[in-house]
Amino acid sequence: MEVVVAQSDVTAIEVDVLVVNLFEGVTKPGGATGAVDSALGGVITELIADGEITGSASELTLIHTPNNAYPNFSPSRVLVVGLGSSDSFDTDGIRRVSASVIRKLRSSGVKHAATIVHGAGIGGLETSSATQATVEGSLLGSYRFLKYRTTDKKRKPDVGKLTIVEADSAKIDEIKTGIERGVAYSQAEILARNLVNEPANKLAPADLAATAQSVANENGLDCIVLEEADVTKLGMGAYVGVSQGGPRPLKFIHMTYAGDSANSENNLWLIGKGITFDSGGISIKPGAGMGKMKGDMGGGASVIAAIQAIAQLKPKLNVHVVCAATDNMPGGSAQRPGDVVTAMNGMTIEVDNTDAEGRLTLADAIGYAKSKGAERIVDVATLTGAARVALGDGVSPLFGNDEELVSSVLETSSKVGEPMWRLPLDSVTKRQNASKIADLKNTGGRGGGSTTAAHFIADFAGDTPWVHIDVAATSMLDSTRGWMPAGATGVPTRSLIELAMSLGG
Ligand code: BES
Ligand code: MN
Ligand code: ZN
């Protein structure tokens, strides 16, 4: 879908559908909705009085306005969307409403729609961020993964063009900024979704590396890919141990955006778990639901996707992306429970359970980042089933060792509508990772599964400022929620972009 701005009176724009809005409880619409109401002889006011339009959140009312009946009104139809209560309205509300609207437009066969920016009038939100949220809701809300659906002939095509219409010339520049950001953020999140939705037989570590390489080529980034021999030489025994159970070669991906090359220490390292399929290894998973483990590279997908938008929006800091990609398979040469491996930083790990593989790969990815001078690390991982037990699938557990970085991530995540909640790294759960034979074991036993996993990673982050986001529950959904479709959500791609924008702003 193409998104453009037009400086025009709403009544004069030639489109299939014009989208306007209404807060709950408003009996006489103002602004653009008021202008439409007047041009249509008060039909919206009348529908409010009749009780058909109430303004409740995502209420959709389509009014047909054929040209012969309304010669001075250009749009063929008007869609009035309810915004809900004006006190609680925020950019999440905009994304939610825009997603409902775009799906309604698609199901009505609309090719070209125009919309006002939701929330910028009496909603009181800044024009550029309200525009960005309108664009994000529209692009993310209309997402479908149709690549492997070849026989459905009746499917409605996507809306081809969305025009953001604004009469006030003073707001056009802000709207352009909002569109540019909304498009970049959404395209990145969609890339992450596509990678997560891709079946494991179509996405080996080499395919993830090829995607990273093409993102780099298209956006002027550096990208290096280390092979098994390279990472073995670097001492990444924990990572190599995970990969040895399957035939598809590991790929260690390192992408760089140099936004402040004069100050190499002004850096942010984004590390994503990149398990292209997690069978559990020898500690094999039960069959039911195992197919979802094609998405165990969701963290890696989100960091690769985020750096694409970062390269386009150019914040002033250096961003590095690392993804230690591999399958976790139970082949004859697989590592066994009880094995001891040595990580890049020299620490030894007892592999108590081969299904706790993510933390093993992250240990070496972090070791690498630290060896290259990482000043701040954010890792993203579909790490523990316990994340869902703790917080459900609407909020990602977050852990960290640095108050400032933790606050920055929490702030940016709530701004973009990807909720996170900090859990403690307490000393009691930390002891659960103690091994009798090695420095650490990769499981923490009963209780606090997300926390013991985080403690494990914390030991490799050491004193480098670090945040860990567990997206095991939030990376994929069973059913559509607002702008997030069933399947991959792309979370937390937009949080990472926003973080880089705020750190390098
Ligand atoms: N990839 C899984 C975690 C996961 C579970 C992600 C469900 C998405 C949905 C991870 O590698 C794993 O298997 N974790 C184990 C750890 C345990 C063996 C200590 C888990 O959570 O059960
Ligand atoms: Mn696992
Ligand atoms: Zn896993």
Side-chain angles (χ1 to χ4, degrees), residues 108-122:
S108 302
V110 172
K111 290 181 185 62
H112 182 191
T115 183
I116 59 169
V117 172
H118 301 302
I122 56 168

Side-chain angles (χ1 to χ4, degrees), residues 399 423-432 447-448 451-452 454-455:
F399 301 84
L423 295 181
L425 286 165
D426 62 293
S427 59
V428 175
T429 42
K430 182 170 169 63
R431 274 180 237 126
Q432 294 173 212
T451 309
T452 52
H455 267 304

Side-chain angles (χ1 to χ4, degrees), residues 244-446:
Q244 75 195 24
R248 305 198 295 189
L250 66 76
K251 299 285 167 180
F252 186 95
I253 302 159
H254 176 192
M255 307 166 79
T256 308
Y257 160 73
D260 189 10
S261 39
N263 302 296
S264 65
E265 71 292 347
N266 179 20
N267 66 46
L268 169 67
W269 285 67
L270 302 175
I271 299 180
K273 172 174 171 181
I275 304 297
T276 40
F277 187 72
D278 181 12
S279 71
I282 296 297
S283 313
I284 199 161
K285 287 182 181 293
M290 203 202 276
K292 289 192 178 147
M293 286 303 123
K294 70 178 185 179
D296 210 19
M297 28 53 71
S302 73
V303 296
I304 293 168
I307 203 171
Q308 168 179 291
I310 291 166
Q312 291 163 359
L313 298 171
K314 305 195 178 355
K316 191 171 175 353
L317 86 165
N318 303 301
V319 180
H320 295 261
V321 154
V322 170
C323 178
T326 176
D327 284 330
N328 182 27
M329 296 295 279
S333 55
Q335 68 179 348
R336 295 141 293 246
D339 283 4
V340 173
V341 294
T342 304
M344 183 175 171
N345 72 352
M347 282 171 73
T348 58
I349 304 161
E350 176 188 359
V351 181
D352 184 46
N353 187 320
T354 65
D355 197 12
E357 83 297 340
R359 66 198 78 180
L360 297 171
T361 63
L362 290 168
D364 280 334
I366 288 175
Y368 176 86
K370 287 186 59 129
S371 78
K372 300 283 183 194
E375 294 283 342
R376 304 183 195 98
I377 297 174
V378 175
D379 85 71
V380 183
T382 48
L383 204 64
T384 64
R388 176 183 299 277
V389 179
L391 299 180
D393 65 10
V395 180
S396 309
L398 171 149
F399 301 84
N401 63 5
D402 182 81
E403 300 309 307
E404 202 178 319
L405 190 57
V406 166
S407 310
S408 305
V409 178
L410 287 174
E411 201 174 295
T412 53
S413 81
S414 81
K415 200 165 159 194
V416 305
E418 297 178 338
M420 299 176 191
W421 195 263
R422 187 186 193 178
L423 295 181
L425 286 165
D426 62 293
S427 59
V428 175
T429 42
K430 182 170 169 63
R431 274 180 237 126
Q432 294 173 212
N433 288 336
S435 163
K436 292 199 167 59
I437 177 170
D439 298 336
L440 272 179
K441 64 181 164 70
N442 74 335
T443 56
R446 278 177 177 281

